[in-house]
Amino acid sequence: MKTKFIFVTGGVLSSLGKGLAAASLGALLQTRGLSVTIQKLDPYINVDPGTMNPFQHGEVFVTDDGAETDLDLGHYERYLDVPMSRKNNTTSGAIYNQVIAKERRGDYLGATVQVIPHITDEIKKTVLSLAEGEDAPDVAIIEIGGTVGDIEGLPFLEAIRQLRSDLGRDNCLNIHLTLVPYLRCAGEHKTKPTQHSVKELLSIGIQPDIILCRCEQSIPQEMRRKIALFCNVDQDAVFSSVDVDNIYEVPLKFYEEGFDQKVAIMLRLPARNAHLENWEKLVHDCANPQGKVTIAIVGKYVDLKEAYKSLHEALIHGGVANRVAVELRYVNSENVDERNAATLFKGCNGILVPGGFGYRGVEGKIAAIRHARENLVPFFGICLGMQCAVIEFARHVAGLDDANSEEFNPLSDHKVIYLMTEWFDFRTKNVEKRNAASDKGGTMRLGAYPCKILSGTKAHEAYQKALIEERHRHRYEFNNAFKESLAQKGMVFSGTAPDDSLVEIMELPDHPWFLGCQFHPEFKSRPMQAHPLFREFIRAAKQHATS
Ligand code: GLN
């Protein structure tokens, strides 16, 4: 097996940025010419995060193959620019599901099924699956969710402990990310939490090779020596992960610390120089914008920014591509109505309505869209945002007063957005999924679908392509029964399924930028290559700001 494994655990507390650290290390190894993948192991019991409330868990990231995954996979894709798949995220729930299914089939031949070895073996299988096949990566980074000491994380830790002896010392590396707080009154860094956390790891048989210390400011040498001594790691294996203003600085900071160099030496990876020009340019461009645009995000989850993680990043990428800083103004859609829209959106150069579920706040989104359409403010609607744009147009331009989505008013006479059961047959590979989908997880159109782009439209101007692929996550669709009447009033359907069965993009030509898409373009935006729709949306906002 050529793949080397790096396991990343977290200590002391959550939210230390393990995902970003894993992604940044991955990016650095890539700049050394190595192929890298990252896998997230989540200790919770949900089979996937698809059914979890975004308020609690943040965004659900969707992969090309239709997996609903942890938002850290978004970081992995953005930093590595490698598509993630179902393989890159698993949970305790999914592992137990597999083991129980096997037990029911009789695969264990009468054995007592136990956490060790059956659950741990299943975890090991999932991890090792990354190293299979011809295109197996040089390095697989495995991020273990949660914090060391959590009861539910134990089987995962036991599995990685075993993997180290299975695969050999030269092929595995354990990195432990901890918090080293700086006590202002004492004027020094405190290492005790780190010592406790490492002790916890040692008690289950894992000796970390590298300690990565999350801290406000770089940790002085003598402190590093102290941590090395107490935690039993090499003197030069203690690194700082300092707070940064811009998350894309993390790879550069790690490089300055010599973090990737140490990893490469310990894993005996071929010695090659890192090429960081792209990252340096990105950070430089972020820090030196030539203007500013203000974008309003009108949604329901405005109190938890994590719920719009990829969206937030994609807008920043659009800003980098246009050399402007993007200031985001989160507006709670429940507070918007026709009367206050002008005041609420004063000074905004663009209005974006993101995806969402359920009726709450929908009328506010429609009011915001009306404001954007009538006042020629650039508008971008994503998934539910596109559906709301269609409803708004049907109501106020086509005169269908009760136009609505079947999701919000199943009794409406004008269900311009509806539940289309036939879509399942649209791509044969999904037929199986439909038959298996008897409950809430599994009834959505998920993953990548092709979309044909009409030339001479804003969508075509952005993509410069006749055929694209974008990722979906929704149940409802545009109702083709209204296609002709809305087209007569000026709506252009610039993106459709190749056989015309589904509307994927709509736009209004006599507006600086008014475009809605049924898919989620934010999942495919990259810091060094903004998604074309975000790039063009911010370009329009920039024009709005300067006009
Ligand atoms: N609730 C809508 C649907 O299910 C939109 C979903 C979304 O925005 N992701 O079709």
Side-chain angles (χ1 to χ4, degrees):
M1 187 188 303
K2 73 160 187 179
T3 306
K4 309 241 179 186
F5 288 88
I6 299 174
F7 302 106
V8 182
T9 52
V12 185
L13 41 87
S14 60
S15 304
L16 289 182
K18 230 183 313 154
L20 276 178
S24 299
L25 173 61
L28 281 178
L29 295 174
Q30 260 187 346
T31 64
R32 293 172 157 262
L34 299 162
S35 58
V36 180
T37 194
I38 314 186
Q39 184 183 55
K40 173 95 190 265
L41 305 177
D42 277 310
Y44 52 73
I45 307 291
N46 303 60
V47 172
D48 63 43
T51 52
M52 282 156 100
N53 184 340
F55 278 120
Q56 271 184 32
H57 191 260
E59 159 186 287
V60 173
F61 187 80
V62 181
T63 55
D64 279 336
D65 64 348
E68 298 177 275
T69 70
D70 186 78
L71 56 78
D72 273 332
L73 272 79
H75 291 312
Y76 307 162
E77 280 204 2
R78 286 188 285 273
Y79 280 69
L80 300 184
D81 195 15
V82 172
M84 296 287 129
S85 75
R86 202 166 287 286
K87 264 186 164 183
N88 296 82
N89 187 200
T90 197
T91 69
S92 288
I95 298 281
Y96 272 84
N97 227 8
Q98 281 149 12
V99 170
I100 291 169
K102 283 186 186 170
E103 186 274 332
R104 292 288 88 183
R105 276 204 309 266
D107 290 6
Y108 296 118
L109 306 173
T112 309
V113 181
Q114 294 175 300
V115 173
I116 304 170
H118 301 98
I119 294 293
T120 44
D121 279 354
E122 198 65 36
I123 296 171
K124 286 183 353 185
K125 216 176 89 193
T126 306
V127 171
L128 292 174
S129 73
L130 295 174
E132 284 163 9
E134 271 169 27
D135 52 355
D138 299 319
V139 179
I141 302 177
I142 315 295
E143 179 193 346
I144 292 117
T147 308
V148 168
D150 298 346
I151 292 176
E152 54 264 45
L154 283 173
F156 288 111
L157 295 175
E158 170 60 14
I160 65 167
R161 185 193 68 79
Q162 292 181 16
L163 277 170
R164 177 155 195 160
S165 26
D166 295 352
L167 300 172
R169 291 202 161 259
D170 287 350
N171 299 318
C172 294
L173 192 74
N174 281 310
I175 298 178
H176 189 54
L177 174 66
T178 77
L179 177 72
V180 177
Y182 181 76
L183 276 200
R184 227 164 284 271
C185 54
E188 61 175 6
H189 286 92
K190 289 291 176 191
T191 66
K192 198 64 91 186
T194 299
Q195 294 179 40
H196 279 295
S197 175
V198 170
K199 219 160 111 187
E200 192 80 41
L201 261 184
L202 286 170
S203 73
I204 40 184
I206 297 175
Q207 164 66 56
D209 302 295
I210 288 179
I211 309 269
L212 183 59
C213 307
R214 180 67 193 270
C215 46
E216 276 176 54
Q217 32 184 290
S218 184
I219 299 174
Q221 263 323 315
E222 79 270 12
M223 270 297 162
R224 296 187 194 218
R225 269 198 294 276
K226 187 172 162 191
I227 294 173
L229 183 66
F230 287 132
C231 300
N232 200 23
V233 301
D234 290 355
Q235 294 246 354
D236 60 351
V238 179
F239 298 99
S240 300
S241 172
V242 291
D243 296 350
V244 286
D245 296 330
N246 172 1
I247 56 168
Y248 298 115
E249 274 176 58
V250 180
L252 296 177
K253 294 278 179 209
F254 281 2
Y255 178 77
E256 280 168 25
E257 287 265 319
F259 180 38
D260 58 308
Q261 176 75 6
K262 181 73 185 172
V263 169
I265 292 170
M266 289 182 117
L267 276 178
R268 294 172 209 268
L269 292 165
R272 294 193 195 101
N273 289 332
H275 297 282
L276 295 172
E277 297 81 7
N278 290 344
W279 288 96
E280 280 160 359
K281 179 174 185 314
L282 172 67
V283 169
H284 174 269
D285 287 354
C286 288
N288 297 285
Q290 287 158 358
K292 191 191 91 176
V293 297
T294 304
I295 304 294
I297 297 182
V298 187
K300 195 161 69 167
Y301 310 115
V302 288
D303 293 327
L304 182 69
K305 310 278 180 292
E306 294 277 284
Y308 298 121
K309 194 84 221 162
S310 295
L311 184 69
H312 182 121
E313 293 307 312
L315 285 164
I316 303 294
H317 306 160
V320 174
N322 287 288
R323 296 302 306 272
V324 289
V326 179
E327 195 176 291
L328 300 179
R329 190 188 294 178
Y330 286 89
V331 177
N332 187 339
S333 49
E334 287 178 277
N335 300 336
V336 186
D337 60 35
E338 305 242 320
R339 283 166 322 211
N340 67 13
T343 328
L344 275 176
F345 297 117
K346 198 161 181 261
C348 286
N349 310 115
I351 295 179
L352 190 148
V353 178
F357 293 84
Y359 183 57
R360 191 151 61 86
V362 162
E363 294 302 328
K365 290 175 189 173
I366 293 173
I369 295 168
R370 182 175 198 174
H371 172 82
R373 183 176 55 77
E374 292 181 346
N375 296 283
L376 304 182
V377 181
F379 164 77
F380 192 7
I382 294 177
C383 207
L384 179 64
M386 176 198 106
Q387 298 177 352
C388 288
V390 171
I391 297 170
E392 192 280 320
F393 188 87
R395 283 186 192 171
H396 304 127
V397 180
L400 308 173
D401 294 345
D402 75 333
N404 218 327
S405 162
E406 187 165 0
E407 183 178 6
F408 313 132
N409 179 10
L411 301 177
S412 163
D413 284 335
H414 301 102
K415 283 179 280 207
V416 288
I417 305 295
Y418 79 141
L419 201 56
M420 179 191 195
T421 37
E422 309 90 272
W423 77 258
F424 292 105
D425 303 321
F426 171 66
R427 205 165 73 169
T428 34
K429 99 172 197 213
N430 274 301
V431 170
E432 248 179 55
K433 222 197 271 177
R434 176 198 39 186
N435 295 339
S438 54
D439 47 22
K440 275 259 192 284
T443 55
M444 284 196 267
R445 175 144 81 107
L446 282 168
Y449 282 82
C451 167
K452 146 182 108 170
I453 305 284
L454 191 65
S455 61
T457 60
K458 294 209 173 72
H460 193 271
E461 220 171 277
Y463 281 106
Q464 303 278 330
K465 268 189 201 165
L467 193 70
I468 55 151
E469 260 203 7
E470 293 282 3
R471 299 180 194 170
H472 292 250
R473 181 173 185 251
H474 54 98
R475 294 194 177 83
Y476 298 85
E477 302 284 352
F478 177 85
N479 185 345
N480 285 324
F482 294 92
K483 207 168 168 181
E484 232 182 86
S485 56
L486 296 184
Q488 268 168 17
K489 294 286 178 191
M491 187 174 281
V492 171
F493 300 100
S494 48
T496 53
D499 66 356
D500 286 323
S501 60
L502 301 160
V503 166
E504 308 283 39
I505 311 178
M506 52 71 64
E507 60 184 74
L508 300 181
D510 44 5
H511 188 287
W513 173 267
F514 188 107
L515 184 144
C517 53
Q518 187 55 78
F519 47 80
H520 288 273
E522 68 272 28
F523 294 142
K524 286 177 65 166
S525 190
R526 304 284 174 260
M528 287 164 209
Q529 183 145 40
H531 187 284
L533 294 182
F534 282 92
R535 189 191 66 222
E536 292 307 303
F537 174 54
I538 299 295
R539 189 196 300 279
K542 186 177 172 182
Q543 253 160 31
H544 183 273
T546 48
S547 66

